Amino acid sequence: MLSTPLAKLVDSMGHVKILKTAAYHQRYQVKYRRRREGKTDYLARKRLVVQDKNKYGSPKYRLVVRCTNKDVICQIMHSKIVGDVCLSAAYSHELPKYGIEVGLTNYAAAYATGLLCARRLLQKLGLDEQYEGNDDPDGEHFLVEHEDGPRPFTCVLDVGLIRTTTGAKVFGALKGAVDGGLNIPHSDKRFPGYDP
């Protein structure tokens, strides 16, 4: 019989039931890396990414908005098997080139970044002259209207893990992208100042 402190403790404990057996550890499967890091909600991602089977290979586009401590990031993305593909991107640290020097993480900067991302994408696709967006941005509800020719570029908003509260900055970027000429289905219930 050992006389170490640990052995004395084990003797005094009585019978201890082993809860996690070798079989438990053999069958244990770790979660995806980005789930372990707390960066991706895979249930939400699946709903944003998976395309209907009758639409075959046509991509499902997302307006991805992320707000960090020093930046607002807007990207137009779609998914492939090998990974996500970025069509267009805009960052709020680019705004000083366009005259906005300070406040690069506030609601106004998010709006301007969304607007910049939308205009870049439409210029890349050759739709910038046909869909000029909102000529008089006064904060009222606005949706792009389809006329003759190619249909407007349609995507959905991807907010990531943030809480979608009324007045959140991601909705400022959404409003900027919509005023820039993108067709993003939305309502104005989450814009700041909304009073039901």
Side-chain angles (χ1 to χ4, degrees), residues 66-73 91-96 102-106 109 113 169:
R66 300 291 183 265
C67 300
T68 68
N69 287 343
K70 295 184 178 179
D71 218 356
V72 177
I73 305 163
Y91 301 86
S92 63
H93 66 249
E94 301 175 69
L95 296 178
V102 294
L104 299 182
T105 57
N106 58 22
T113 308
K169 286 188 282 190

mmCIF file of all heavy atoms in Angstrom, residues 66-73 91-96 102-106 109 113 169:
data_model
loop_
_atom_site.group_PDB
_atom_site.id
_atom_site.type_symbol
_atom_site.label_atom_id
_atom_site.label_comp_id
_atom_site.label_asym_id
_atom_site.label_seq_id
_atom_site.Cartn_x
_atom_site.Cartn_y
_atom_site.Cartn_z
ATOM 1 N N ARG A 66 -19.013 42.766 -41.942
ATOM 2 C CA ARG A 66 -18.361 42.523 -40.660
ATOM 3 C C ARG A 66 -17.838 43.845 -40.124
ATOM 4 O O ARG A 66 -17.176 44.598 -40.856
ATOM 5 C CB ARG A 66 -17.206 41.529 -40.795
ATOM 6 C CG ARG A 66 -17.610 40.159 -41.311
ATOM 7 C CD ARG A 66 -18.439 39.379 -40.298
ATOM 8 N NE ARG A 66 -18.750 38.047 -40.777
ATOM 9 C CZ ARG A 66 -19.872 37.730 -41.404
ATOM 10 N NH1 ARG A 66 -20.794 38.650 -41.631
ATOM 11 N NH2 ARG A 66 -20.092 36.482 -41.797
ATOM 12 N N CYS A 67 -18.107 44.112 -38.854
ATOM 13 C CA CYS A 67 -17.650 45.340 -38.202
ATOM 14 C C CYS A 67 -16.611 44.978 -37.146
ATOM 15 O O CYS A 67 -16.922 44.239 -36.207
ATOM 16 C CB CYS A 67 -18.824 46.078 -37.562
ATOM 17 S SG CYS A 67 -20.100 46.548 -38.732
ATOM 18 N N THR A 68 -15.393 45.470 -37.303
ATOM 19 C CA THR A 68 -14.345 45.253 -36.317
ATOM 20 C C THR A 68 -14.184 46.539 -35.516
ATOM 21 O O THR A 68 -14.921 47.509 -35.705
ATOM 22 C CB THR A 68 -13.021 44.874 -36.996
ATOM 23 O OG1 THR A 68 -12.537 46.009 -37.727
ATOM 24 C CG2 THR A 68 -13.208 43.714 -37.944
ATOM 25 N N ASN A 69 -13.181 46.554 -34.612
ATOM 26 C CA ASN A 69 -12.964 47.744 -33.796
ATOM 27 C C ASN A 69 -12.495 48.936 -34.623
ATOM 28 O O ASN A 69 -12.757 50.083 -34.256
ATOM 29 C CB ASN A 69 -11.933 47.463 -32.696
ATOM 30 C CG ASN A 69 -12.494 46.597 -31.598
ATOM 31 O OD1 ASN A 69 -13.713 46.461 -31.480
ATOM 32 N ND2 ASN A 69 -11.626 46.010 -30.802
ATOM 33 N N LYS A 70 -11.797 48.677 -35.727
ATOM 34 C CA LYS A 70 -11.214 49.766 -36.497
ATOM 35 C C LYS A 70 -11.686 49.807 -37.939
ATOM 36 O O LYS A 70 -11.189 50.633 -38.711
ATOM 37 C CB LYS A 70 -9.684 49.645 -36.493
ATOM 38 C CG LYS A 70 -9.072 49.823 -35.120
ATOM 39 C CD LYS A 70 -7.553 49.792 -35.210
ATOM 40 C CE LYS A 70 -6.937 50.013 -33.846
ATOM 41 N NZ LYS A 70 -5.459 49.977 -33.895
ATOM 42 N N ASP A 71 -12.605 48.929 -38.325
ATOM 43 C CA ASP A 71 -12.936 48.839 -39.750
ATOM 44 C C ASP A 71 -14.356 48.329 -39.942
ATOM 45 O O ASP A 71 -14.908 47.665 -39.064
ATOM 46 C CB ASP A 71 -11.967 47.861 -40.437
ATOM 47 C CG ASP A 71 -11.557 48.317 -41.821
ATOM 48 O OD1 ASP A 71 -12.086 49.351 -42.275
ATOM 49 O OD2 ASP A 71 -10.722 47.656 -42.446
ATOM 50 N N VAL A 72 -14.917 48.650 -41.101
ATOM 51 C CA VAL A 72 -16.161 48.045 -41.560
ATOM 52 C C VAL A 72 -15.843 47.391 -42.901
ATOM 53 O O VAL A 72 -15.264 48.022 -43.781
ATOM 54 C CB VAL A 72 -17.288 49.079 -41.731
ATOM 55 C CG1 VAL A 72 -18.540 48.418 -42.284
ATOM 56 C CG2 VAL A 72 -17.594 49.755 -40.413
ATOM 57 N N ILE A 73 -16.189 46.109 -43.036
ATOM 58 C CA ILE A 73 -15.830 45.324 -44.220
ATOM 59 C C ILE A 73 -17.112 44.888 -44.918
ATOM 60 O O ILE A 73 -17.995 44.317 -44.275
ATOM 61 C CB ILE A 73 -15.005 44.085 -43.834
ATOM 62 C CG1 ILE A 73 -13.780 44.498 -43.013
ATOM 63 C CG2 ILE A 73 -14.590 43.298 -45.063
ATOM 64 C CD1 ILE A 73 -13.153 43.359 -42.258
ATOM 65 N N TYR A 91 -13.754 48.550 -47.931
ATOM 66 C CA TYR A 91 -13.369 48.693 -46.528
ATOM 67 C C TYR A 91 -13.505 50.157 -46.127
ATOM 68 O O TYR A 91 -13.260 51.056 -46.944
ATOM 69 C CB TYR A 91 -11.924 48.235 -46.316
ATOM 70 C CG TYR A 91 -11.674 46.806 -46.717
ATOM 71 C CD1 TYR A 91 -11.371 46.482 -48.032
ATOM 72 C CD2 TYR A 91 -11.754 45.779 -45.792
ATOM 73 C CE1 TYR A 91 -11.143 45.168 -48.412
ATOM 74 C CE2 TYR A 91 -11.532 44.467 -46.160
ATOM 75 C CZ TYR A 91 -11.231 44.166 -47.465
ATOM 76 O OH TYR A 91 -11.012 42.870 -47.829
ATOM 77 N N SER A 92 -13.844 50.390 -44.868
ATOM 78 C CA SER A 92 -14.029 51.775 -44.446
ATOM 79 C C SER A 92 -12.698 52.521 -44.353
ATOM 80 O O SER A 92 -12.703 53.750 -44.380
ATOM 81 C CB SER A 92 -14.766 51.837 -43.108
ATOM 82 O OG SER A 92 -14.020 51.224 -42.095
ATOM 83 N N HIS A 93 -11.560 51.804 -44.284
ATOM 84 C CA HIS A 93 -10.293 52.540 -44.267
ATOM 85 C C HIS A 93 -9.953 53.119 -45.643
ATOM 86 O O HIS A 93 -8.976 53.865 -45.771
ATOM 87 C CB HIS A 93 -9.146 51.660 -43.731
ATOM 88 C CG HIS A 93 -8.795 50.494 -44.593
ATOM 89 N ND1 HIS A 93 -9.047 49.189 -44.219
ATOM 90 C CD2 HIS A 93 -8.216 50.403 -45.818
ATOM 91 C CE1 HIS A 93 -8.627 48.370 -45.161
ATOM 92 N NE2 HIS A 93 -8.126 49.076 -46.144
ATOM 93 N N GLU A 94 -10.756 52.797 -46.667
ATOM 94 C CA GLU A 94 -10.594 53.416 -47.986
ATOM 95 C C GLU A 94 -11.337 54.743 -48.091
ATOM 96 O O GLU A 94 -11.112 55.498 -49.040
ATOM 97 C CB GLU A 94 -11.127 52.488 -49.085
ATOM 98 C CG GLU A 94 -10.452 51.137 -49.158
ATOM 99 C CD GLU A 94 -11.136 50.256 -50.186
ATOM 100 O OE1 GLU A 94 -11.026 50.562 -51.383
ATOM 101 O OE2 GLU A 94 -11.787 49.282 -49.790
ATOM 102 N N LEU A 95 -12.223 55.018 -47.156
ATOM 103 C CA LEU A 95 -13.093 56.187 -47.274
ATOM 104 C C LEU A 95 -12.356 57.528 -47.274
ATOM 105 O O LEU A 95 -12.858 58.487 -47.885
ATOM 106 C CB LEU A 95 -14.161 56.165 -46.171
ATOM 107 C CG LEU A 95 -15.141 54.988 -46.254
ATOM 108 C CD1 LEU A 95 -16.124 55.031 -45.097
ATOM 109 C CD2 LEU A 95 -15.895 54.985 -47.573
ATOM 110 N N PRO A 96 -11.192 57.683 -46.598
ATOM 111 C CA PRO A 96 -10.497 58.981 -46.699
ATOM 112 C C PRO A 96 -10.172 59.394 -48.133
ATOM 113 O O PRO A 96 -10.086 60.593 -48.424
ATOM 114 C CB PRO A 96 -9.219 58.750 -45.883
ATOM 115 C CG PRO A 96 -9.620 57.764 -44.854
ATOM 116 C CD PRO A 96 -10.601 56.854 -45.556
ATOM 117 N N VAL A 102 -12.789 61.008 -40.849
ATOM 118 C CA VAL A 102 -12.865 60.516 -39.470
ATOM 119 C C VAL A 102 -14.141 59.708 -39.274
ATOM 120 O O VAL A 102 -15.052 59.722 -40.108
ATOM 121 C CB VAL A 102 -12.836 61.677 -38.451
ATOM 122 C CG1 VAL A 102 -11.497 62.374 -38.489
ATOM 123 C CG2 VAL A 102 -13.960 62.663 -38.723
ATOM 124 N N GLY A 103 -14.206 58.993 -38.149
ATOM 125 C CA GLY A 103 -15.400 58.207 -37.830
ATOM 126 C C GLY A 103 -15.584 57.044 -38.778
ATOM 127 O O GLY A 103 -16.662 56.847 -39.336
ATOM 128 N N LEU A 104 -14.532 56.238 -38.938
ATOM 129 C CA LEU A 104 -14.560 55.188 -39.951
ATOM 130 C C LEU A 104 -15.235 53.904 -39.476
ATOM 131 O O LEU A 104 -15.232 52.905 -40.190
ATOM 132 C CB LEU A 104 -13.135 54.880 -40.421
ATOM 133 C CG LEU A 104 -12.403 56.061 -41.075
ATOM 134 C CD1 LEU A 104 -11.033 55.636 -41.529
ATOM 135 C CD2 LEU A 104 -13.199 56.633 -42.234
ATOM 136 N N THR A 105 -15.787 53.903 -38.264
ATOM 137 C CA THR A 105 -16.492 52.709 -37.783
ATOM 138 C C THR A 105 -17.923 53.015 -37.368
ATOM 139 O O THR A 105 -18.585 52.150 -36.804
ATOM 140 C CB THR A 105 -15.750 52.099 -36.575
ATOM 141 O OG1 THR A 105 -15.619 53.082 -35.558
ATOM 142 C CG2 THR A 105 -14.381 51.594 -36.977
ATOM 143 N N ASN A 106 -18.415 54.210 -37.635
ATOM 144 C CA ASN A 106 -19.773 54.537 -37.203
ATOM 145 C C ASN A 106 -20.806 54.143 -38.269
ATOM 146 O O ASN A 106 -20.472 53.573 -39.309
ATOM 147 C CB ASN A 106 -19.892 56.023 -36.838
ATOM 148 C CG ASN A 106 -19.521 56.933 -37.990
ATOM 149 O OD1 ASN A 106 -19.564 56.530 -39.148
ATOM 150 N ND2 ASN A 106 -19.162 58.165 -37.684
ATOM 151 N N ALA A 109 -20.253 55.569 -41.757
ATOM 152 C CA ALA A 109 -19.161 54.905 -42.472
ATOM 153 C C ALA A 109 -19.621 53.550 -43.003
ATOM 154 O O ALA A 109 -19.223 53.131 -44.096
ATOM 155 C CB ALA A 109 -17.965 54.732 -41.547
ATOM 156 N N THR A 113 -19.535 52.536 -46.882
ATOM 157 C CA THR A 113 -18.800 51.336 -47.315
ATOM 158 C C THR A 113 -19.708 50.414 -48.126
ATOM 159 O O THR A 113 -19.289 49.853 -49.144
ATOM 160 C CB THR A 113 -18.236 50.596 -46.091
ATOM 161 O OG1 THR A 113 -17.503 51.521 -45.293
ATOM 162 C CG2 THR A 113 -17.325 49.476 -46.515
ATOM 163 N N LYS A 169 -25.080 48.493 -37.094
ATOM 164 C CA LYS A 169 -24.316 49.046 -38.215
ATOM 165 C C LYS A 169 -24.419 48.209 -39.477
ATOM 166 O O LYS A 169 -24.296 48.744 -40.584
ATOM 167 C CB LYS A 169 -22.845 49.192 -37.813
ATOM 168 C CG LYS A 169 -22.600 50.341 -36.864
ATOM 169 C CD LYS A 169 -21.133 50.583 -36.641
ATOM 170 C CE LYS A 169 -20.560 49.574 -35.679
ATOM 171 N NZ LYS A 169 -19.188 49.922 -35.260
#
